[in-house]
Amino acid sequence: MIYQLEIDDRDETGKAVLAFIRQMAATNKSIKPPVALNQLELAERPFGTMKGSFKLAPDFNEPLDDLKDYM
């Protein structure tokens, strides 16, 4: 499956999500790094993609930090 997300990188949560995706893309070649939408110059949204936003819980990074400490 291919997912396309629009992430607002103006707040700390969006920056954390983008950093996480970049890190995953660096270690997993099946994950493509994020691309800024203004670079795509899309005339119309591709079929199957949605516009929207989501908020992560304030403790989103805690399990990842615990895993990092364990490793």
Side-chain angles (χ1 to χ4, degrees):
M1 291 188 130
I2 297 174
Y3 295 98
Q4 184 174 350
L5 301 174
E6 287 187 17
I7 300 172
D8 185 2
D9 64 351
R10 293 175 289 185
D11 65 345
E12 293 301 316
T13 304
K15 289 177 185 176
V17 170
L18 286 172
F20 178 73
I21 294 171
R22 285 185 187 105
Q23 182 181 8
M24 293 302 295
T27 58
N28 187 340
K29 297 303 175 193
S30 66
I31 299 173
K32 299 199 185 314
V35 177
L37 284 179
N38 59 0
Q39 291 177 357
L40 294 176
E41 298 297 330
L42 296 175
E44 188 176 308
R45 189 175 308 280
F47 179 74
T49 59
M50 298 181 301
K51 183 174 183 175
S53 62
F54 60 92
K55 292 191 178 230
L56 298 175
D59 60 349
F60 173 75
N61 284 332
E62 285 180 15
L64 297 174
D65 292 337
D66 292 343
L67 179 61
K68 184 172 73 173
D69 293 339
Y70 176 76
M71 300 301 272

